[in-house]
Amino acid sequence: MDINGRREEILRILGDREYVTVEEFSKVLGVSAVTIRTDLSALEESGFLIRTHGGAMKNSKKGEARLISNTMIENEEEKRALAERAASLIRPGNTIIIDSGSTTIHLIEHLKGKNITVVTNNILALDKLKNEDDIKIVALGGSLRRESMGTVGPLAETAVKSMNVDIYFMGAAAYDRSNITSSDMNEAVLKRDMIEASDKVVFLADSSKFGKKAFSKICTWHDIDAFVSEKVDPDFRRELEEMGVEVLASDD
């Protein structure tokens, strides 16, 4: 198990309990207490847990994956506006990927009559699209991640690796000037596979996620072809455009 996998497992173990000792982590993960202490210090610095004498306890305020039922209603007006802007990139006959998340789900409202194929791991998107006869749906299997209501894991990854699609509409938990990040490692792995499968990668995120970091790195801006937000800092916009990223702001 690599370092990121081990730290993800630490958070998973701690997610089921209020407190876990260094010795318990060491025994379950098969690494030394010194290694565990290093991991706990790094995770505490990122706000994912609280170090205590001899172990760690859950930080209920920071670092936890948040339920989509809560994030759907946050900045909803901005998310709807940028989703509408992103949908203007779709052409009849396109094959697109819509991943799981509270921003990309708003794309569904703008797909009617486009005669396209939608590949998705988003359970909520499947429900919204099930009666749209002009849209072909390819549902990705896998393990359900309830926080985002999306499937993840080897089944979804294998399926995506066999595909070639026109546009991938990607959401994420956070982004800064260097990286785009997810709160879940399995989700990040699937997103990277979706990037590889796509001719064009469109990243959708409202400005409230700017300047923040989540646990697992998805990609850098060099992997992104277009960025859609409701507003973009002028200096950051210049940086992105110099890298060849098309910037589309819904308030332009």
mmCIF file of all heavy atoms in Angstrom, residues 70-97:
data_model
loop_
_atom_site.group_PDB
_atom_site.id
_atom_site.type_symbol
_atom_site.label_atom_id
_atom_site.label_comp_id
_atom_site.label_asym_id
_atom_site.label_seq_id
_atom_site.Cartn_x
_atom_site.Cartn_y
_atom_site.Cartn_z
ATOM 1 N N ASN A 70 -26.243 17.837 0.857
ATOM 2 C CA ASN A 70 -25.927 19.142 1.429
ATOM 3 C C ASN A 70 -25.287 20.065 0.401
ATOM 4 O O ASN A 70 -25.637 21.241 0.305
ATOM 5 C CB ASN A 70 -24.979 18.985 2.626
ATOM 6 C CG ASN A 70 -25.628 18.249 3.778
ATOM 7 O OD1 ASN A 70 -26.815 18.404 4.024
ATOM 8 N ND2 ASN A 70 -24.869 17.439 4.479
ATOM 9 N N THR A 71 -24.333 19.535 -0.381
ATOM 10 C CA THR A 71 -23.615 20.389 -1.328
ATOM 11 C C THR A 71 -24.477 20.800 -2.507
ATOM 12 O O THR A 71 -24.201 21.817 -3.149
ATOM 13 C CB THR A 71 -22.345 19.685 -1.843
ATOM 14 O OG1 THR A 71 -22.703 18.451 -2.479
ATOM 15 C CG2 THR A 71 -21.392 19.384 -0.696
ATOM 16 N N MET A 72 -25.526 20.054 -2.823
ATOM 17 C CA MET A 72 -26.411 20.406 -3.932
ATOM 18 C C MET A 72 -27.033 21.784 -3.743
ATOM 19 O O MET A 72 -27.276 22.512 -4.699
ATOM 20 C CB MET A 72 -27.524 19.363 -4.077
ATOM 21 C CG MET A 72 -27.110 18.102 -4.802
ATOM 22 S SD MET A 72 -26.990 18.301 -6.583
ATOM 23 C CE MET A 72 -28.721 18.472 -7.023
ATOM 24 N N ILE A 73 -27.330 22.151 -2.501
ATOM 25 C CA ILE A 73 -28.032 23.412 -2.254
ATOM 26 C C ILE A 73 -27.076 24.567 -1.986
ATOM 27 O O ILE A 73 -27.517 25.713 -1.848
ATOM 28 C CB ILE A 73 -29.021 23.265 -1.078
ATOM 29 C CG1 ILE A 73 -28.279 22.894 0.214
ATOM 30 C CG2 ILE A 73 -30.091 22.253 -1.407
ATOM 31 C CD1 ILE A 73 -29.182 22.846 1.430
ATOM 32 N N GLU A 74 -25.773 24.296 -1.925
ATOM 33 C CA GLU A 74 -24.791 25.355 -1.720
ATOM 34 C C GLU A 74 -24.442 26.008 -3.055
ATOM 35 O O GLU A 74 -24.133 25.326 -4.023
ATOM 36 C CB GLU A 74 -23.532 24.796 -1.057
ATOM 37 C CG GLU A 74 -23.756 24.288 0.346
ATOM 38 C CD GLU A 74 -22.526 23.648 0.952
ATOM 39 O OE1 GLU A 74 -21.558 23.382 0.199
ATOM 40 O OE2 GLU A 74 -22.531 23.416 2.159
ATOM 41 N N ASN A 75 -24.481 27.337 -3.116
ATOM 42 C CA ASN A 75 -24.146 28.081 -4.335
ATOM 43 C C ASN A 75 -24.924 27.542 -5.541
ATOM 44 O O ASN A 75 -24.397 27.454 -6.657
ATOM 45 C CB ASN A 75 -22.636 28.014 -4.617
ATOM 46 C CG ASN A 75 -21.813 28.508 -3.442
ATOM 47 O OD1 ASN A 75 -22.019 29.611 -2.953
ATOM 48 N ND2 ASN A 75 -20.883 27.681 -2.986
ATOM 49 N N GLU A 76 -26.187 27.179 -5.298
ATOM 50 C CA GLU A 76 -26.978 26.522 -6.340
ATOM 51 C C GLU A 76 -27.168 27.413 -7.566
ATOM 52 O O GLU A 76 -27.090 26.934 -8.706
ATOM 53 C CB GLU A 76 -28.333 26.094 -5.785
ATOM 54 C CG GLU A 76 -29.164 25.286 -6.770
ATOM 55 C CD GLU A 76 -30.439 24.755 -6.159
ATOM 56 O OE1 GLU A 76 -30.763 25.141 -5.019
ATOM 57 O OE2 GLU A 76 -31.116 23.955 -6.822
ATOM 58 N N GLU A 77 -27.403 28.682 -7.359
ATOM 59 C CA GLU A 77 -27.610 29.588 -8.491
ATOM 60 C C GLU A 77 -26.365 29.651 -9.366
ATOM 61 O O GLU A 77 -26.452 29.614 -10.600
ATOM 62 C CB GLU A 77 -27.966 30.983 -7.975
ATOM 63 C CG GLU A 77 -28.275 31.983 -9.077
ATOM 64 C CD GLU A 77 -28.689 33.334 -8.543
ATOM 65 O OE1 GLU A 77 -29.084 33.432 -7.362
ATOM 66 O OE2 GLU A 77 -28.625 34.310 -9.313
ATOM 67 N N GLU A 78 -25.198 29.745 -8.733
ATOM 68 C CA GLU A 78 -23.943 29.788 -9.484
ATOM 69 C C GLU A 78 -23.712 28.489 -10.257
ATOM 70 O O GLU A 78 -23.275 28.509 -11.416
ATOM 71 C CB GLU A 78 -22.764 30.044 -8.541
ATOM 72 C CG GLU A 78 -22.720 31.438 -7.941
ATOM 73 C CD GLU A 78 -23.588 31.580 -6.698
ATOM 74 O OE1 GLU A 78 -24.331 30.617 -6.370
ATOM 75 O OE2 GLU A 78 -23.535 32.645 -6.060
ATOM 76 N N LYS A 79 -24.003 27.362 -9.612
ATOM 77 C CA LYS A 79 -23.801 26.062 -10.255
ATOM 78 C C LYS A 79 -24.703 25.892 -11.469
ATOM 79 O O LYS A 79 -24.280 25.356 -12.501
ATOM 80 C CB LYS A 79 -24.031 24.936 -9.240
ATOM 81 C CG LYS A 79 -22.947 24.840 -8.181
ATOM 82 C CD LYS A 79 -23.296 23.805 -7.122
ATOM 83 C CE LYS A 79 -22.229 23.729 -6.055
ATOM 84 N NZ LYS A 79 -22.556 22.764 -4.983
ATOM 85 N N ARG A 80 -25.936 26.356 -11.356
ATOM 86 C CA ARG A 80 -26.864 26.257 -12.489
ATOM 87 C C ARG A 80 -26.390 27.116 -13.659
ATOM 88 O O ARG A 80 -26.468 26.702 -14.821
ATOM 89 C CB ARG A 80 -28.269 26.682 -12.055
ATOM 90 C CG ARG A 80 -28.964 25.689 -11.141
ATOM 91 C CD ARG A 80 -30.388 26.126 -10.842
ATOM 92 N NE ARG A 80 -31.047 25.215 -9.929
ATOM 93 C CZ ARG A 80 -31.618 24.070 -10.286
ATOM 94 N NH1 ARG A 80 -31.622 23.711 -11.566
ATOM 95 N NH2 ARG A 80 -32.204 23.291 -9.395
ATOM 96 N N ALA A 81 -25.882 28.299 -13.341
ATOM 97 C CA ALA A 81 -25.423 29.206 -14.394
ATOM 98 C C ALA A 81 -24.207 28.658 -15.124
ATOM 99 O O ALA A 81 -24.128 28.693 -16.359
ATOM 100 C CB ALA A 81 -25.105 30.579 -13.794
ATOM 101 N N LEU A 82 -23.252 28.129 -14.384
ATOM 102 C CA LEU A 82 -22.047 27.628 -15.048
ATOM 103 C C LEU A 82 -22.321 26.312 -15.779
ATOM 104 O O LEU A 82 -21.690 26.021 -16.803
ATOM 105 C CB LEU A 82 -20.872 27.514 -14.075
ATOM 106 C CG LEU A 82 -20.937 26.520 -12.913
ATOM 107 C CD1 LEU A 82 -20.317 25.192 -13.308
ATOM 108 C CD2 LEU A 82 -20.160 27.090 -11.712
ATOM 109 N N ALA A 83 -23.284 25.523 -15.290
ATOM 110 C CA ALA A 83 -23.667 24.304 -16.005
ATOM 111 C C ALA A 83 -24.296 24.644 -17.351
ATOM 112 O O ALA A 83 -24.041 23.982 -18.370
ATOM 113 C CB ALA A 83 -24.626 23.477 -15.166
ATOM 114 N N GLU A 84 -25.123 25.676 -17.369
ATOM 115 C CA GLU A 84 -25.731 26.116 -18.632
ATOM 116 C C GLU A 84 -24.653 26.580 -19.607
ATOM 117 O O GLU A 84 -24.714 26.291 -20.807
ATOM 118 C CB GLU A 84 -26.726 27.249 -18.370
ATOM 119 C CG GLU A 84 -27.436 27.719 -19.627
ATOM 120 C CD GLU A 84 -28.477 28.785 -19.346
ATOM 121 O OE1 GLU A 84 -28.534 29.282 -18.193
ATOM 122 O OE2 GLU A 84 -29.239 29.131 -20.270
ATOM 123 N N ARG A 85 -23.655 27.295 -19.087
ATOM 124 C CA ARG A 85 -22.540 27.756 -19.940
ATOM 125 C C ARG A 85 -21.763 26.562 -20.485
ATOM 126 O O ARG A 85 -21.400 26.536 -21.663
ATOM 127 C CB ARG A 85 -21.608 28.651 -19.110
ATOM 128 C CG ARG A 85 -20.504 29.328 -19.900
ATOM 129 C CD ARG A 85 -21.050 30.452 -20.717
ATOM 130 N NE ARG A 85 -19.989 31.225 -21.353
ATOM 131 C CZ ARG A 85 -19.472 30.947 -22.546
ATOM 132 N NH1 ARG A 85 -19.906 29.890 -23.212
ATOM 133 N NH2 ARG A 85 -18.528 31.694 -23.067
ATOM 134 N N ALA A 86 -21.521 25.574 -19.659
ATOM 135 C CA ALA A 86 -20.772 24.387 -20.090
ATOM 136 C C ALA A 86 -21.533 23.598 -21.140
ATOM 137 O O ALA A 86 -20.946 23.067 -22.092
ATOM 138 C CB ALA A 86 -20.459 23.500 -18.889
ATOM 139 N N ALA A 87 -22.849 23.518 -20.993
ATOM 140 C CA ALA A 87 -23.672 22.736 -21.926
ATOM 141 C C ALA A 87 -23.616 23.284 -23.344
ATOM 142 O O ALA A 87 -23.883 22.556 -24.306
ATOM 143 C CB ALA A 87 -25.115 22.695 -21.429
ATOM 144 N N SER A 88 -23.248 24.559 -23.493
ATOM 145 C CA SER A 88 -23.160 25.157 -24.829
ATOM 146 C C SER A 88 -22.034 24.539 -25.650
ATOM 147 O O SER A 88 -21.974 24.725 -26.873
ATOM 148 C CB SER A 88 -22.953 26.674 -24.721
ATOM 149 O OG SER A 88 -21.673 26.979 -24.177
ATOM 150 N N LEU A 89 -21.156 23.791 -24.996
ATOM 151 C CA LEU A 89 -20.044 23.140 -25.694
ATOM 152 C C LEU A 89 -20.463 21.820 -26.356
ATOM 153 O O LEU A 89 -19.717 21.270 -27.156
ATOM 154 C CB LEU A 89 -18.900 22.869 -24.711
ATOM 155 C CG LEU A 89 -18.281 24.091 -24.027
ATOM 156 C CD1 LEU A 89 -17.320 23.646 -22.927
ATOM 157 C CD2 LEU A 89 -17.564 24.964 -25.040
ATOM 158 N N ILE A 90 -21.638 21.314 -26.001
ATOM 159 C CA ILE A 90 -22.089 20.006 -26.500
ATOM 160 C C ILE A 90 -22.743 20.160 -27.867
ATOM 161 O O ILE A 90 -23.538 21.075 -28.101
ATOM 162 C CB ILE A 90 -23.088 19.372 -25.513
ATOM 163 C CG1 ILE A 90 -22.448 19.229 -24.123
ATOM 164 C CG2 ILE A 90 -23.557 18.012 -26.031
ATOM 165 C CD1 ILE A 90 -23.438 18.807 -23.053
ATOM 166 N N ARG A 91 -22.400 19.236 -28.769
ATOM 167 C CA ARG A 91 -22.984 19.214 -30.108
ATOM 168 C C ARG A 91 -23.776 17.928 -30.308
ATOM 169 O O ARG A 91 -23.448 16.892 -29.706
ATOM 170 C CB ARG A 91 -21.884 19.318 -31.162
ATOM 171 C CG ARG A 91 -21.057 20.603 -31.087
ATOM 172 C CD ARG A 91 -21.896 21.808 -31.470
ATOM 173 N NE ARG A 91 -21.163 23.065 -31.323
ATOM 174 C CZ ARG A 91 -21.238 23.855 -30.271
ATOM 175 N NH1 ARG A 91 -22.028 23.514 -29.265
ATOM 176 N NH2 ARG A 91 -20.559 24.975 -30.202
ATOM 177 N N PRO A 92 -24.824 17.959 -31.152
ATOM 178 C CA PRO A 92 -25.579 16.738 -31.436
ATOM 179 C C PRO A 92 -24.660 15.608 -31.887
ATOM 180 O O PRO A 92 -23.746 15.818 -32.684
ATOM 181 C CB PRO A 92 -26.527 17.176 -32.564
ATOM 182 C CG PRO A 92 -26.706 18.639 -32.353
ATOM 183 C CD PRO A 92 -25.359 19.134 -31.877
ATOM 184 N N GLY A 93 -24.905 14.422 -31.349
ATOM 185 C CA GLY A 93 -24.101 13.265 -31.704
ATOM 186 C C GLY A 93 -22.890 13.037 -30.817
ATOM 187 O O GLY A 93 -22.243 11.990 -30.900
ATOM 188 N N ASN A 94 -22.568 14.011 -29.961
ATOM 189 C CA ASN A 94 -21.433 13.849 -29.055
ATOM 190 C C ASN A 94 -21.643 12.701 -28.076
ATOM 191 O O ASN A 94 -22.775 12.385 -27.701
ATOM 192 C CB ASN A 94 -21.195 15.115 -28.244
ATOM 193 C CG ASN A 94 -20.402 16.188 -28.963
ATOM 194 O OD1 ASN A 94 -20.370 17.333 -28.529
ATOM 195 N ND2 ASN A 94 -19.752 15.866 -30.063
ATOM 196 N N THR A 95 -20.537 12.110 -27.651
ATOM 197 C CA THR A 95 -20.522 11.213 -26.500
ATOM 198 C C THR A 95 -19.827 11.957 -25.375
ATOM 199 O O THR A 95 -18.704 12.435 -25.544
ATOM 200 C CB THR A 95 -19.772 9.909 -26.806
ATOM 201 O OG1 THR A 95 -20.462 9.192 -27.815
ATOM 202 C CG2 THR A 95 -19.693 9.035 -25.556
ATOM 203 N N ILE A 96 -20.501 12.089 -24.241
ATOM 204 C CA ILE A 96 -19.941 12.849 -23.123
ATOM 205 C C ILE A 96 -19.925 12.013 -21.852
ATOM 206 O O ILE A 96 -20.694 11.072 -21.705
ATOM 207 C CB ILE A 96 -20.722 14.152 -22.875
ATOM 208 C CG1 ILE A 96 -22.126 13.855 -22.327
ATOM 209 C CG2 ILE A 96 -20.811 14.988 -24.161
ATOM 210 C CD1 ILE A 96 -22.883 15.099 -21.862
ATOM 211 N N ILE A 97 -19.021 12.382 -20.942
ATOM 212 C CA ILE A 97 -19.004 11.811 -19.587
ATOM 213 C C ILE A 97 -19.454 12.888 -18.622
ATOM 214 O O ILE A 97 -18.963 14.019 -18.658
ATOM 215 C CB ILE A 97 -17.601 11.321 -19.177
ATOM 216 C CG1 ILE A 97 -17.139 10.148 -20.041
ATOM 217 C CG2 ILE A 97 -17.602 10.896 -17.702
ATOM 218 C CD1 ILE A 97 -15.723 9.686 -19.736
#
